[in-house]
Amino acid sequence: MKKTTAIFAAAALAAAMSLGISACGGDDGAVTVYMPDGAPALALAQLMVDEPDLGADVSYRVVDASTIQTYVTGDMKADVCVLPVNAAATVAGDGSEYTMLGVVTHGNLYMVSSKYGEQITGDNLTSLVGKTVGCIQLNSFVGAVFKAVLGDAGIGYTVVADASQASPDSVNLVNIANPASEISPSAAFDYMIAAEPVVTAKTSGGALGVVGDLQALYGEGGYPQAVMIAKNSLIESDPGFIRALVDAVAEGAQKLASDGADIASIIEAVNTNGGAGTLTAGNLKPETLRRCAIAFEAAADAKSDVLSFIQKYNAVTNMSLSLSDAFFYSGNR
């Protein structure tokens, strides 16, 4: 934060405290930032490592991915939250309480196989017809991405209960309910779709190999996956903090993309902030960071891509999610 902004923020905070309130965050003036374990937590990992001065006392909390929406809708509402774009659209898309500051990850989904070694690209995507593809989160985000890829290519797919029901005329999709046990070289699937950092862990032994990049198959440099949202009250009460946070996230993402990222420090920071981190030296390597597509894109710049993705998401899930113009941060609030 620039010196003049820091002085202004400090003065504003002091004045607010004299009135018994806080300029931002909770009752103690702290700002809580929640994020799910995995690639979204990695997007903010450098902030947890470097602890830059943002002009406020910031607490980072890495939580189980299945609970992240509760920190926006529940009683203990996050001041800032990183969550999947479809979840953000579901719980905050009207912009009445939260605003999207930007996209922080652009896809971490990959196809692995122990049966086939040829790379799946847009040119040979039809080779999946008649095959079985096990997919995590088939009925939500991950499945929507893959279905959109197939739909854009004009390739039909069928959702089946297991590999024994596979049709020879379409791509056969099977839900993977338990990635820890079901993604394995001995699985009945021809291919499996998983997310980093699980992909790194599952392919480290060599029996499974990465044979497809869903971001490349989707095109356009990937898709908006995890977004960072902030309370409107925080944006309005302390715009200087918001600007400092956005700058720090962008700088942190650039550092993670460089060869200078300290893997050990990242693992420690993510695993100790909130207690839900599952990173290890076995599932986080430099290539893992690259495959998480961590890069900050401001809301104004990402708006058209986000709207396009939500439209595709709705089409393949029969949902009707919508995002108001107020949901996208313009920097003028």
Tab-separated table of all heavy atoms in Angstrom, residues 18-56:
chain	number	residue	atom	x	y	z
A	18	SER	N	-12.441	4.731	17.692
A	18	SER	CA	-12.890	5.656	18.726
A	18	SER	C	-14.406	5.643	18.849
A	18	SER	O	-14.966	6.025	19.865
A	18	SER	CB	-12.414	7.080	18.407
A	18	SER	OG	-13.111	7.607	17.283
A	19	LEU	N	-15.094	5.174	17.790
A	19	LEU	CA	-16.542	5.091	17.813
A	19	LEU	C	-17.020	3.695	18.177
A	19	LEU	O	-18.208	3.411	18.182
A	19	LEU	CB	-17.112	5.468	16.424
A	19	LEU	CG	-16.860	6.909	15.984
A	19	LEU	CD1	-17.352	7.090	14.551
A	19	LEU	CD2	-17.567	7.875	16.921
A	20	GLY	N	-16.044	2.801	18.452
A	20	GLY	CA	-16.403	1.457	18.859
A	20	GLY	C	-16.717	0.529	17.707
A	20	GLY	O	-17.348	-0.509	17.889
A	21	ILE	N	-16.309	0.919	16.484
A	21	ILE	CA	-16.536	0.057	15.334
A	21	ILE	C	-15.219	-0.139	14.609
A	21	ILE	O	-14.210	0.466	14.954
A	21	ILE	CB	-17.575	0.677	14.369
A	21	ILE	CG1	-17.083	2.048	13.875
A	21	ILE	CG2	-18.913	0.824	15.057
A	21	ILE	CD1	-18.011	2.690	12.837
A	22	SER	N	-15.208	-1.005	13.607
A	22	SER	CA	-13.980	-1.245	12.850
A	22	SER	C	-14.153	-0.748	11.440
A	22	SER	O	-15.254	-0.762	10.890
A	22	SER	CB	-13.631	-2.740	12.844
A	22	SER	OG	-14.650	-3.480	12.219
A	23	ALA	N	-13.051	-0.311	10.851
A	23	ALA	CA	-13.116	0.205	9.483
A	23	ALA	C	-13.373	-0.897	8.488
A	23	ALA	O	-13.919	-0.669	7.429
A	23	ALA	CB	-11.804	0.917	9.146
A	24	CYS	N	-12.933	-2.122	8.817
A	24	CYS	CA	-13.165	-3.231	7.907
A	24	CYS	C	-13.108	-4.516	8.692
A	24	CYS	O	-12.625	-4.569	9.810
A	24	CYS	CB	-12.114	-3.248	6.786
A	24	CYS	SG	-10.416	-3.365	7.378
A	25	GLY	N	-13.634	-5.589	8.075
A	25	GLY	CA	-13.564	-6.890	8.699
A	25	GLY	C	-14.514	-7.042	9.856
A	25	GLY	O	-15.544	-6.387	9.950
A	26	GLY	N	-14.154	-7.935	10.784
A	26	GLY	CA	-15.010	-8.242	11.909
A	26	GLY	C	-14.916	-7.210	13.004
A	26	GLY	O	-14.355	-6.122	12.856
A	27	ASP	N	-15.474	-7.573	14.170
A	27	ASP	CA	-15.536	-6.642	15.283
A	27	ASP	C	-14.157	-6.226	15.777
A	27	ASP	O	-13.986	-5.154	16.354
A	27	ASP	CB	-16.316	-7.274	16.439
A	27	ASP	CG	-17.785	-7.466	16.074
A	27	ASP	OD1	-18.262	-6.760	15.168
A	27	ASP	OD2	-18.444	-8.330	16.687
A	28	ASP	N	-13.145	-7.084	15.592
A	28	ASP	CA	-11.796	-6.754	16.049
A	28	ASP	C	-10.979	-6.053	14.984
A	28	ASP	O	-9.803	-5.772	15.177
A	28	ASP	CB	-11.071	-8.026	16.506
A	28	ASP	CG	-10.955	-9.059	15.389
A	28	ASP	OD1	-11.499	-8.808	14.297
A	28	ASP	OD2	-10.331	-10.113	15.618
A	29	GLY	N	-11.582	-5.724	13.848
A	29	GLY	CA	-10.883	-5.025	12.785
A	29	GLY	C	-10.107	-5.922	11.854
A	29	GLY	O	-9.556	-5.453	10.874
A	30	ALA	N	-10.059	-7.242	12.150
A	30	ALA	CA	-9.325	-8.165	11.295
A	30	ALA	C	-10.143	-8.514	10.058
A	30	ALA	O	-11.376	-8.531	10.089
A	30	ALA	CB	-8.980	-9.435	12.061
A	31	VAL	N	-9.440	-8.789	8.971
A	31	VAL	CA	-10.072	-9.239	7.741
A	31	VAL	C	-9.829	-10.735	7.606
A	31	VAL	O	-8.688	-11.199	7.677
A	31	VAL	CB	-9.489	-8.506	6.512
A	31	VAL	CG1	-10.066	-9.077	5.223
A	31	VAL	CG2	-9.768	-7.012	6.599
A	32	THR	N	-10.899	-11.501	7.426
A	32	THR	CA	-10.764	-12.948	7.263
A	32	THR	C	-10.887	-13.303	5.785
A	32	THR	O	-11.814	-12.863	5.109
A	32	THR	CB	-11.841	-13.695	8.056
A	32	THR	OG1	-13.139	-13.219	7.678
A	32	THR	CG2	-11.640	-13.488	9.553
A	33	VAL	N	-9.931	-14.101	5.317
A	33	VAL	CA	-9.901	-14.543	3.927
A	33	VAL	C	-10.004	-16.067	3.916
A	33	VAL	O	-9.124	-16.754	4.429
A	33	VAL	CB	-8.612	-14.101	3.221
A	33	VAL	CG1	-8.623	-14.550	1.755
A	33	VAL	CG2	-8.437	-12.589	3.304
A	34	TYR	N	-11.087	-16.588	3.362
A	34	TYR	CA	-11.308	-18.030	3.317
A	34	TYR	C	-11.082	-18.546	1.897
A	34	TYR	O	-11.412	-17.872	0.913
A	34	TYR	CB	-12.726	-18.373	3.761
A	34	TYR	CG	-12.934	-18.277	5.253
A	34	TYR	CD1	-13.271	-17.065	5.853
A	34	TYR	CD2	-12.798	-19.401	6.070
A	34	TYR	CE1	-13.471	-16.974	7.227
A	34	TYR	CE2	-12.988	-19.321	7.446
A	34	TYR	CZ	-13.327	-18.105	8.011
A	34	TYR	OH	-13.518	-18.007	9.372
A	35	MET	N	-10.559	-19.754	1.816
A	35	MET	CA	-10.322	-20.378	0.518
A	35	MET	C	-10.347	-21.887	0.674
A	35	MET	O	-9.985	-22.406	1.741
A	35	MET	CB	-8.971	-19.926	-0.054
A	35	MET	CG	-7.777	-20.457	0.708
A	35	MET	SD	-6.326	-19.372	0.669
A	35	MET	CE	-6.760	-18.183	1.959
A	36	PRO	N	-10.772	-22.627	-0.347
A	36	PRO	CA	-10.766	-24.087	-0.264
A	36	PRO	C	-9.375	-24.659	-0.507
A	36	PRO	O	-8.555	-24.062	-1.217
A	36	PRO	CB	-11.734	-24.502	-1.377
A	36	PRO	CG	-11.664	-23.389	-2.364
A	36	PRO	CD	-11.385	-22.141	-1.588
A	37	ASP	N	-9.139	-25.805	0.086
A	37	ASP	CA	-7.879	-26.506	-0.128
A	37	ASP	C	-7.720	-26.824	-1.618
A	37	ASP	O	-8.694	-26.993	-2.341
A	37	ASP	CB	-7.904	-27.800	0.690
A	37	ASP	CG	-6.584	-28.558	0.647
A	37	ASP	OD1	-5.535	-27.904	0.501
A	37	ASP	OD2	-6.609	-29.792	0.754
A	38	GLY	N	-6.470	-26.897	-2.075
A	38	GLY	CA	-6.201	-27.200	-3.473
A	38	GLY	C	-5.686	-25.995	-4.223
A	38	GLY	O	-5.087	-25.084	-3.643
A	39	ALA	N	-5.956	-25.960	-5.527
A	39	ALA	CA	-5.451	-24.874	-6.371
A	39	ALA	C	-5.905	-23.493	-5.906
A	39	ALA	O	-5.114	-22.540	-5.955
A	39	ALA	CB	-5.848	-25.110	-7.824
A	40	PRO	N	-7.159	-23.322	-5.440
A	40	PRO	CA	-7.555	-21.983	-4.966
A	40	PRO	C	-6.705	-21.491	-3.805
A	40	PRO	O	-6.385	-20.300	-3.723
A	40	PRO	CB	-9.019	-22.180	-4.555
A	40	PRO	CG	-9.491	-23.305	-5.400
A	40	PRO	CD	-8.321	-24.230	-5.480
A	41	ALA	N	-6.334	-22.400	-2.894
A	41	ALA	CA	-5.468	-22.001	-1.782
A	41	ALA	C	-4.076	-21.656	-2.285
A	41	ALA	O	-3.430	-20.723	-1.791
A	41	ALA	CB	-5.402	-23.112	-0.744
A	42	LEU	N	-3.616	-22.386	-3.288
A	42	LEU	CA	-2.302	-22.086	-3.856
A	42	LEU	C	-2.280	-20.693	-4.485
A	42	LEU	O	-1.238	-20.027	-4.493
A	42	LEU	CB	-1.940	-23.130	-4.912
A	42	LEU	CG	-1.509	-24.499	-4.380
A	42	LEU	CD1	-1.377	-25.499	-5.531
A	42	LEU	CD2	-0.199	-24.382	-3.611
A	43	ALA	N	-3.417	-20.239	-4.985
A	43	ALA	CA	-3.477	-18.919	-5.621
A	43	ALA	C	-3.140	-17.805	-4.644
A	43	ALA	O	-2.660	-16.746	-5.044
A	43	ALA	CB	-4.855	-18.688	-6.233
A	44	LEU	N	-3.383	-18.039	-3.354
A	44	LEU	CA	-3.074	-17.039	-2.338
A	44	LEU	C	-1.913	-17.463	-1.449
A	44	LEU	O	-1.626	-16.822	-0.437
A	44	LEU	CB	-4.310	-16.758	-1.472
A	44	LEU	CG	-5.219	-15.611	-1.954
A	44	LEU	CD1	-5.839	-15.946	-3.302
A	44	LEU	CD2	-6.303	-15.319	-0.931
A	45	ALA	N	-1.239	-18.545	-1.836
A	45	ALA	CA	-0.180	-19.097	-0.999
A	45	ALA	C	0.956	-18.109	-0.758
A	45	ALA	O	1.508	-18.036	0.351
A	45	ALA	CB	0.370	-20.373	-1.632
A	46	GLN	N	1.308	-17.326	-1.789
A	46	GLN	CA	2.436	-16.413	-1.635
A	46	GLN	C	2.132	-15.321	-0.620
A	46	GLN	O	3.029	-14.831	0.072
A	46	GLN	CB	2.820	-15.808	-2.980
A	46	GLN	CG	4.252	-15.302	-3.055
A	46	GLN	CD	5.266	-16.407	-2.782
A	46	GLN	OE1	5.231	-17.478	-3.405
A	46	GLN	NE2	6.169	-16.159	-1.841
A	47	LEU	N	0.864	-14.941	-0.501
A	47	LEU	CA	0.494	-13.962	0.517
A	47	LEU	C	0.683	-14.541	1.912
A	47	LEU	O	1.124	-13.846	2.834
A	47	LEU	CB	-0.963	-13.513	0.341
A	47	LEU	CG	-1.217	-12.374	-0.654
A	47	LEU	CD1	-1.007	-12.844	-2.077
A	47	LEU	CD2	-2.623	-11.820	-0.478
A	48	MET	N	0.362	-15.835	2.052
A	48	MET	CA	0.531	-16.484	3.348
A	48	MET	C	2.002	-16.647	3.689
A	48	MET	O	2.389	-16.626	4.854
A	48	MET	CB	-0.191	-17.831	3.366
A	48	MET	CG	-1.705	-17.710	3.334
A	48	MET	SD	-2.557	-19.306	3.427
A	48	MET	CE	-2.773	-19.680	1.693
A	49	VAL	N	2.839	-16.808	2.673
A	49	VAL	CA	4.281	-16.948	2.891
A	49	VAL	C	4.911	-15.592	3.211
A	49	VAL	O	5.646	-15.442	4.202
A	49	VAL	CB	4.959	-17.563	1.649
A	49	VAL	CG1	6.487	-17.516	1.789
A	49	VAL	CG2	4.499	-19.004	1.450
A	50	ASP	N	4.627	-14.587	2.386
A	50	ASP	CA	5.289	-13.283	2.511
A	50	ASP	C	4.630	-12.368	3.549
A	50	ASP	O	5.291	-11.461	4.065
A	50	ASP	CB	5.290	-12.568	1.154
A	50	ASP	CG	6.138	-13.283	0.118
A	50	ASP	OD1	7.012	-14.078	0.513
A	50	ASP	OD2	5.909	-13.059	-1.081
A	51	GLU	N	3.346	-12.581	3.814
A	51	GLU	CA	2.586	-11.731	4.734
A	51	GLU	C	2.811	-10.240	4.444
A	51	GLU	O	3.277	-9.484	5.300
A	51	GLU	CB	2.948	-12.046	6.186
A	51	GLU	CG	2.599	-13.465	6.601
A	51	GLU	CD	2.900	-13.719	8.070
A	51	GLU	OE1	3.698	-12.971	8.660
A	51	GLU	OE2	2.321	-14.672	8.620
A	52	PRO	N	2.493	-9.785	3.241
A	52	PRO	CA	2.697	-8.369	2.902
A	52	PRO	C	1.797	-7.464	3.745
A	52	PRO	O	0.717	-7.872	4.188
A	52	PRO	CB	2.304	-8.307	1.424
A	52	PRO	CG	1.332	-9.433	1.248
A	52	PRO	CD	1.830	-10.525	2.135
A	53	ASP	N	2.235	-6.246	3.948
A	53	ASP	CA	1.449	-5.265	4.693
A	53	ASP	C	0.341	-4.735	3.786
A	53	ASP	O	0.605	-4.018	2.825
A	53	ASP	CB	2.341	-4.122	5.170
A	53	ASP	CG	1.570	-3.077	5.968
A	53	ASP	OD1	0.387	-3.327	6.275
A	53	ASP	OD2	2.156	-2.020	6.284
A	54	LEU	N	-0.891	-5.086	4.107
A	54	LEU	CA	-2.029	-4.663	3.302
A	54	LEU	C	-2.820	-3.547	3.976
A	54	LEU	O	-3.879	-3.153	3.485
A	54	LEU	CB	-2.955	-5.860	3.025
A	54	LEU	CG	-2.302	-7.072	2.337
A	54	LEU	CD1	-3.314	-8.191	2.163
A	54	LEU	CD2	-1.697	-6.681	0.999
A	55	GLY	N	-2.314	-3.078	5.087
A	55	GLY	CA	-3.008	-2.009	5.792
A	55	GLY	C	-4.089	-2.494	6.722
A	55	GLY	O	-4.897	-1.702	7.218
A	56	ALA	N	-4.148	-3.799	6.972
A	56	ALA	CA	-5.134	-4.375	7.884
A	56	ALA	C	-4.571	-5.682	8.418
A	56	ALA	O	-3.650	-6.270	7.836
A	56	ALA	CB	-6.460	-4.620	7.177
